[in-house]
Amino acid sequence: MMIPVLIGVSFVIFSMLYFAPGDAADVILGDMATVADKQQFRAQYGLDKPFLVQYVRYMEGVVLRGDLGTSYVTRQPVTVEILERFPTTLQLSAMSVFLAVIIGISVGIISATRQYSFIDNLATSLSMVGVSMPNFWQGMMLIIIFAVWLRWLPPSGFSTPLHWILPAVTVGTNSSANIMRMTRSSMLEIIRQDYIRTARAKGQTEAVVIWKHALKNALIPIITVVGLSFGRLLGGAVLTESIFSIAGVGKLMVDAIKLKNFPMVQGGVLFIAFVMSIVNLVVDLLYSFADPRIRSMYTRPKTKKFKAVAAGEAA
Amino acid sequence: MSDKILEIKDLVVHYITDKTTVKAVNGISLSLERGESLGLVGETGAGKTTTALSVMQLIPDPPGKIMSGEILYEGQDLVSMEPTQKREIRGNHISMIFQDPMTALNPVLSVGDQIAEVVRLHQKISRAQASIKAQEMLELVGIPGERYAEYPHQFSGGMKQRVVIAIALACNPKLLIADEPTTALDVTIQDQVLDLIEKLMREFGTSLLLITHDLGVVAEICQKAAIMYAGEIVEYGTLKHIYEKTAHPYTVGLFGSVPNLTVDVDRLNPIKGLMPDPTDLPIGCPFAPRCPDVMPRCVASPVPVTEVESGHYVKCVKFLRSEAER
Amino acid sequence: MSEKETTAVTMKKRGQFKDIRRRFAKNKGAILGLGFIVILVVCALIPSVIAPYGFDDQQLSRRFQSPSWNHLFGTDEYGRDIFSRVVYGCRISLTLGLVSVTISCVLGIILGCISGYYGKVVDNVIMRIIDIMLSIPNILLAVSIVAALGTSFFNLMLAIGIGAVPGYARVVRASILSVKEQEYIEAARSNGASDWRIITRHIIPNCMAPIIVQATMSIASAVLSAAGMSFIGLGIMPPTPEWGSMLASGRAYIRDYWYVVTFPGLAIMLTVFSINLLGDGLRDALDPRLKS
């Protein structure tokens, strides 16, 4: 499943950049270079070979050696440059997801249990606002308010925990709004189910009914949204890193685009597609943990284990 | 007096939305002794489930509201209790089993855990001990105890209902309310489940409030019956009263519409017409438009209850004694 | 169809339309959104009437003036009135939104139709392609397309449009799959109706509602994407007053002159917000069952 998609992605990206106007040699070496210099550049990067040959050689490099090409600008391997910066982006994404999930799910639950109340309406409106804000603008506004006017937080960089707050909020807002809406609608549906009434008929407290009985069932669509959010998060990180001057993969890509550093752009997109496939895989795994109906398709029931426990207790 | 487990007095329950008010229950009274079984009979929409939910104090509010009346459990009014006290009673003293077993169990929890949950809620025992008790309950309802860790989707409808029964009886309640427990099941399974309920009632001495539309089931299991129509109890008494000395025209019609195995007929005998709109109930007797014995007094004003013989109550103009009531 | 039947169907459609209008009118948020969009459309159509200055009126002597009655939103680094530039920018953003959505709609519907109707191998192939497109974050996909085709207004709309195709294709495909097995399709086919006729007459009218909602929401995300692209430098080039590129050029000055980025960004946000409100209102009006 993952493999054909990744191959497809690589083919699409490769072709798109292959047919891009402008000669890489011209762009990188500039007007001062001689024809011979340019030819040498092209030979060095294998740009004079036919399309399919180039593609196959590139894919060979990727699959066998993890070699995503060489940056036109720094002459360093793309893979190295990306991997250097990936931990930063990963950290930013992880924190944003964490923030988004915590805020999104809690507000979603409160909204669902107090439907049509003031909090619900406020949360719904705010979430709509959050989804409508371009996140790079949000980043800039946060910088203006918190770094320039109030001077509470630093405007750029990623070194200390204080540095992490604004970027994580910027990237996470969008996702937290989506998660909140999905949690709310999912919970609203679950709360109306018969088994919730059964739980109450047992004399269970409302808190446990909501957090244990309802939420566990509502998780499945919520996990889907969280997974999807990760994709948008990576996209959002691209712009946010530029705003906050964070040395991550996103900023790398933006700079590469501006400089027409095609191998970097190509390698970066492929890399991100790869990461997203892994995220999707993890999401699928999470499903089977959350929903026993899916889980039982893969495992056998734990009857034997229980028998032993019961026997032990009775003895 | 002290042997009455449950007493409902003039209960009125409405569902109020900003557009309309649904008058689901309009002044019903009934009582249940210790160890007794009462069948609450009526068509869909008569108000039976609302009555049951009121006893459990599980009426969704909004939009439902208990407007007036008392529900006494062992002499204490359930309506005015504190929420903590109500939770203490639910699942422990009074349990309920619902109509649709397919949706009554939480799909993401094992059946054993769902039974153990109600035990741990009301008894101070350890998790392991609760699991053992849950296993015992499973065996009691005819499910192998090893299936403790399995999930609801791995059971058939009939077995799911047994699990529901296990949950309801795990804490040995004094009163069990069963809301059409077999309607959603296959006919062959219906019998098994009913037998199970009856057996457990006798073993534990539990009182039963059985809600059903099936007069045959009531005859098998219950000692008393109450016939509900449009939110009111129109006839109430022992089985002998209802089945042999049938009084109210609606009850007569119900019996008349049951197919007769011995007589050859071309057509069945349904009761003409439909139940009135609960948002727009008439002032007089709600059954008047469909009643073959209707008279002018029926629609003029509300009909009071008459005790035609000891313990047999009817809400019908035909049985009014004093001229003052006419 | 006989005269009577045609009239009956028309009457039913009119009744439905009235219902939809009534439900929409009850939603205050949607009306608010609609109102704001009307303002935007007016700004887009006759900017010269509303804006007090031209979008390119440079006067270096009045650089970086704070918001005042003369310059509602202040002036930028070239002394241009920001308010006027924002007003002129409406036309660009709205055009971007509408054209890219049209592109995605048409491509998406065609793909979805083929995929859903013909099924099997074709469906599989198309769905894989869509998976591929969805594996790449939208921005990067658009970036790659623009990098390949070159930076121009049309290419930008094409890039954003292509990115939104999966959404439509899926919606249309789902509708087709749900309708395909219904009996009235079999009836039509047994009457000799061709595939094309079945698709256009029976299937598409049924998925109109979700497509309309999807389209409204995509205009919003198209505006956001365009702004993002311009911000990177791949979208509209200065001095054209596209809101995203205004943010890009104003970024250097946020420390000292906050208004240069605040107002264009606010314009983006309010536009997207109104479109979202409108889309939500349409969704509720067209199918009240979708409301939670």
Side-chain angles (χ1 to χ4, degrees):
Chain A
M1 215 341 78
M2 222 167 88
I3 316 266
V5 171
L6 283 176
I7 296 184
V9 170
S10 67
F11 189 75
V12 165
I13 298 293
F14 191 87
S15 335
M16 280 203 279
L17 293 179
Y18 182 83
F19 293 111
D23 187 343
D26 289 333
V27 171
I28 302 299
L29 299 177
D31 294 329
M32 301 307 241
T34 65
V35 174
D37 286 339
K38 290 187 188 170
Q39 281 201 329
Q40 187 195 25
F41 180 85
R42 284 197 205 101
Q44 184 183 4
Y45 283 99
L47 295 176
D48 43 359
K49 302 280 190 335
F51 171 74
L52 271 178
V53 174
Q54 284 194 42
Y55 177 66
V56 170
R57 283 176 70 189
Y58 181 73
M59 287 310 286
E60 264 180 359
V62 172
V63 174
L64 296 177
R65 298 186 300 272
D67 175 13
L68 289 167
T70 313
S71 162
Y72 284 171
V73 173
T74 61
R75 313 295 171 109
Q76 297 297 315
V78 166
T79 316
V80 168
E81 300 228 13
I82 290 183
L83 286 179
E84 261 176 10
R85 293 174 176 71
F86 185 60
T88 313
T89 303
L90 192 62
Q91 190 185 352
L92 176 60
S93 307
M95 286 193 294
S96 314
V97 165
F98 187 67
L99 198 67
V101 164
I102 302 240
I103 295 183
I105 293 188
S106 355
V107 176
I109 293 181
I110 297 179
S111 235
T113 51
R114 304 201 194 305
Q115 201 181 4
Y116 304 131
S117 69
F118 173 69
I119 293 194
D120 181 23
N121 288 329
L122 185 66
T124 313
S125 317
L126 280 182
S127 78
M128 234 203 222
V129 169
V131 168
S132 311
M133 270 197 285
N135 70 354
F136 50 95
W137 179 69
Q138 185 187 355
M140 287 197 275
M141 294 308 286
L142 286 178
I143 292 180
I144 291 179
I145 298 178
F146 289 98
V148 178
W149 285 350
L150 292 172
R151 291 184 192 276
W152 286 349
L153 298 167
S156 58
F158 207 57
S159 31
T160 71
L162 271 183
H163 283 94
W164 300 340
I165 299 180
L166 287 183
V169 168
T170 307
V171 177
T173 309
N174 210 301
S175 312
S176 88
N178 277 328
I179 294 178
M180 180 243 141
R181 287 162 128 211
M182 179 52 85
T183 306
R184 181 180 180 271
S185 75
S186 188
M187 285 293 284
L188 280 176
E189 209 190 291
I190 301 287
I191 287 183
R192 301 194 190 325
Q193 297 297 317
D194 283 346
Y195 52 83
I196 299 294
R197 189 173 54 173
T198 307
R200 290 200 185 112
K202 290 183 195 171
Q204 187 58 277
T205 59
E206 194 61 17
V208 175
V209 169
I210 298 289
W211 287 91
K212 182 168 155 201
H213 289 265
L215 186 58
K216 261 189 125 176
N217 276 283
L219 274 182
I220 291 135
I222 296 177
I223 292 179
T224 314
V225 169
V226 173
L228 282 177
S229 294
F230 207 80
R232 304 178 94 205
L233 254 165
L234 284 179
V238 167
L239 294 169
T240 311
E241 285 176 10
S242 297
I243 306 261
F244 289 94
S245 303
I246 297 175
V249 174
K251 183 158 189 296
L252 186 65
M253 298 287 291
V254 172
D255 294 339
I257 293 166
K258 288 198 175 123
L259 294 172
K260 297 208 190 306
N261 188 352
F262 289 138
M264 186 64 78
V265 176
Q266 196 168 280
V269 173
L270 197 56
F271 184 77
I272 292 185
F274 179 69
V275 170
M276 293 217 12
S277 305
I278 300 212
V279 169
N280 282 335
L281 209 66
V282 170
V283 168
D284 277 344
L285 281 176
L286 280 178
Y287 278 146
S288 58
F289 273 120
D291 189 347
R293 288 167 287 196
I294 300 179
R295 198 187 319 160
S296 63
M297 291 200 287
Y298 302 118
T299 61
R300 271 179 303 137
K302 312 178 268 199
T303 47
K304 300 222 166 105
K305 185 173 154 202
F306 181 75
K307 243 176 162 172
V309 169
E313 266 292 331
Chain B
M1 161 78 187
S2 52
D3 230 6
K4 285 212 210 306
I5 270 274
L6 179 71
E7 248 197 289
I8 302 182
K9 292 185 178 170
D10 297 314
L11 181 66
V12 177
V13 183
H14 290 175
Y15 289 98
I16 306 173
T17 64
D18 28 61
K19 292 181 193 149
T20 53
T21 302
V22 175
K23 301 191 179 156
V25 175
N26 302 305
I28 64 165
S29 305
L30 56 86
S31 70
L32 199 56
E33 317 260 325
R34 208 172 289 272
E36 220 182 18
S37 298
L38 175 95
L40 191 55
V41 183
E43 306 171 37
T44 317
K48 319 187 292 285
T49 305
T50 306
T51 308
L53 288 177
S54 308
V55 175
M56 291 293 284
Q57 291 295 299
L58 280 179
I59 301 274
D61 180 1
K65 240 182 125 35
I66 297 184
M67 305 298 287
S68 62
E70 291 178 310
I71 304 178
L72 302 175
Y73 169 71
E74 290 190 330
Q76 282 189 297
D77 185 16
L78 294 173
V79 181
S80 52
M81 267 188 198
E82 290 296 319
T84 341
Q85 285 177 293
K86 291 185 191 179
R87 281 201 294 267
E88 186 29 54
I89 292 196
R90 278 183 216 134
N92 196 7
H93 292 273
I94 309 181
S95 282
M96 183 159 172
I97 57 186
F98 299 91
Q99 186 170 332
D100 190 358
M102 302 306 280
T103 53
L105 294 172
N106 192 328
V108 300
L109 299 173
S110 73
V111 300
D113 281 342
Q114 296 192 49
I115 304 177
E117 184 184 10
V118 71
V119 173
R120 292 197 71 213
L121 267 173
H122 300 289
Q123 295 169 16
K124 292 217 181 325
I125 60 178
S126 72
R127 193 160 277 180
Q129 285 177 305
S131 306
I132 297 182
K133 172 83 184 165
Q135 209 187 3
E136 283 170 15
M137 288 308 295
L138 278 174
E139 298 277 353
L140 198 61
V141 296
I143 296 179
E146 297 90 57
R147 298 192 73 177
Y148 180 101
E150 290 186 21
Y151 291 91
H153 67 276
Q154 293 167 291
F155 293 85
S156 69
M159 302 192 90
K160 284 206 250 268
Q161 193 63 306
R162 290 167 191 261
V163 174
V164 170
I165 294 173
I167 295 177
L169 295 177
C171 295
N172 212 341
K174 303 224 184 73
L175 171 63
L176 176 69
I177 306 177
D179 188 355
E180 307 215 37
T182 54
T183 309
L185 301 171
D186 292 335
V187 173
T188 43
I189 309 291
Q190 278 185 19
D191 244 5
Q192 288 178 18
V193 173
L194 279 174
D195 282 345
L196 178 64
I197 294 180
E198 211 189 352
K199 183 184 103 168
L200 294 173
M201 298 293 97
R202 271 184 283 116
E203 255 185 62
F204 293 109
T206 323
S207 311
L208 175 66
L209 177 62
L210 179 68
I211 296 176
T212 180
H213 58 261
D214 190 337
L215 288 163
V217 169
V218 173
E220 268 191 54
I221 301 192
C222 306
Q223 288 99 39
K224 289 191 344 208
I227 316 286
M228 255 188 111
Y229 185 79
E232 299 178 18
I233 293 186
V234 296
E235 189 163 359
Y236 176 79
T238 64
L239 281 198
K240 221 172 153 80
H241 294 149
I242 306 281
Y243 283 69
E244 293 177 17
K245 310 238 185 93
T246 323
H248 196 280
Y250 176 61
T251 325
V252 174
L254 279 182
F255 280 113
S257 58
V258 174
N260 194 325
L261 279 177
T262 52
V263 180
D264 240 349
V265 286
D266 283 333
R267 300 183 138 229
L268 293 175
N269 261 334
I271 308 177
K272 289 199 293 16
L274 294 168
M275 217 189 278
D277 181 356
T279 60
D280 189 18
L281 289 173
I283 308 173
C285 171
F287 187 60
R290 308 167 75 186
C291 186
D293 305 330
V294 63
M295 341 171 196
R297 161 71 182 89
C298 298
V299 298
S301 58
V303 183
V305 176
T306 319
E307 192 172 2
V308 286
E309 44 179 332
S310 172
H312 184 183
Y313 300 85
V314 186
K315 209 173 189 180
C316 181
V317 166
K318 278 168 41 176
F319 299 89
L320 287 179
R321 298 217 182 85
S322 62
E323 273 305 318
E325 288 175 332
R326 284 188 191 270
Chain C
M1 284 199 287
S2 74
E3 181 84 28
K4 249 202 214 161
E5 287 167 339
T6 329
T7 328
V9 172
T10 326
M11 292 297 285
K12 180 172 177 238
K13 283 211 165 89
R14 212 176 285 148
Q16 269 181 343
F17 189 63
K18 252 200 188 160
D19 261 345
I20 294 175
R21 259 222 321 246
R22 190 177 41 91
R23 281 198 290 261
F24 185 80
K26 280 206 283 185
N27 186 338
K28 297 198 198 74
I31 301 289
L32 198 69
L34 186 61
F36 190 75
I37 292 177
V38 166
I39 298 179
L40 287 177
V41 171
V42 167
C43 287
L45 290 174
I46 42 168
S48 38
V49 171
I50 303 189
Y53 302 84
F55 69 87
D56 212 5
D57 265 354
Q58 292 188 24
Q59 260 212 29
L60 294 174
S61 58
R62 11 171 240 241
R63 301 167 77 208
F64 295 126
Q65 289 191 359
S66 321
S68 61
W69 279 119
N70 255 338
H71 299 282
L72 280 172
F73 290 169
T75 59
D76 66 2
E77 68 271 25
Y78 292 114
R80 297 176 290 200
D81 178 36
I82 296 180
F83 178 69
S84 309
R85 300 199 88 222
V86 167
V87 168
Y88 274 97
C90 286
R91 177 184 289 184
I92 300 179
S93 296
L94 289 183
T95 316
L96 264 166
L98 286 172
V99 173
S100 63
V101 162
T102 313
I103 295 177
S104 355
C105 220
V106 169
L107 283 178
I109 292 184
I110 294 179
L111 271 182
C113 277
I114 299 177
S115 197
Y117 196 73
Y118 291 107
K120 303 210 188 81
V121 178
V122 173
D123 183 26
N124 240 316
V125 167
I126 294 186
M127 279 299 114
R128 290 311 128 237
I129 296 180
I130 289 189
D131 277 345
I132 293 176
M133 289 176 71
L134 288 174
S135 291
I136 312 174
N138 245 337
I139 296 204
L140 294 179
L141 182 63
V143 158
S144 315
I145 297 180
V146 170
L149 299 175
T151 48
S152 80
F153 194 55
F154 182 72
N155 288 342
L156 180 63
M157 293 192 284
L158 189 63
I160 297 177
I162 291 182
V165 164
Y168 293 93
R170 279 186 164 182
V171 161
V172 171
R173 176 177 178 268
S175 298
I176 290 185
L177 286 180
S178 73
V179 160
K180 201 164 73 160
E181 303 308 321
Q182 303 258 19
E183 278 158 356
Y184 63 87
I185 299 293
E186 263 196 65
R189 205 177 283 136
S190 61
N191 268 341
S194 73
D195 287 344
W196 177 247
R197 189 183 173 81
I198 293 181
I199 292 182
T200 48
R201 275 299 217 74
H202 296 280
I203 295 185
I204 294 198
N206 268 299
C207 22
M208 262 300 108
I211 289 182
I212 290 180
V213 174
Q214 178 94 359
T216 316
M217 303 303 209
S218 329
I219 298 184
S221 73
V223 170
L224 276 176
S225 302
M229 295 287 287
S230 306
F231 185 77
I232 299 181
L234 278 181
I236 316 287
M237 293 304 167
T240 317
E242 202 272 335
W243 296 333
S245 64
M246 285 167 78
L247 287 176
S249 40
R251 187 182 149 209
Y253 312 106
I254 55 177
R255 231 171 264 264
D256 305 308
Y257 308 109
W258 57 273
Y259 34 84
V260 184
V261 296
T262 309
F263 294 105
L266 207 57
I268 302 177
M269 187 186 99
L270 288 175
T271 307
V272 173
F273 188 57
S274 325
I275 299 178
N276 278 332
L277 280 177
L278 183 66
D280 259 7
L282 276 177
R283 191 198 320 121
D284 289 344
L286 285 170
D287 189 358
R289 286 171 293 155
L290 288 177
K291 224 176 150 122
S292 56

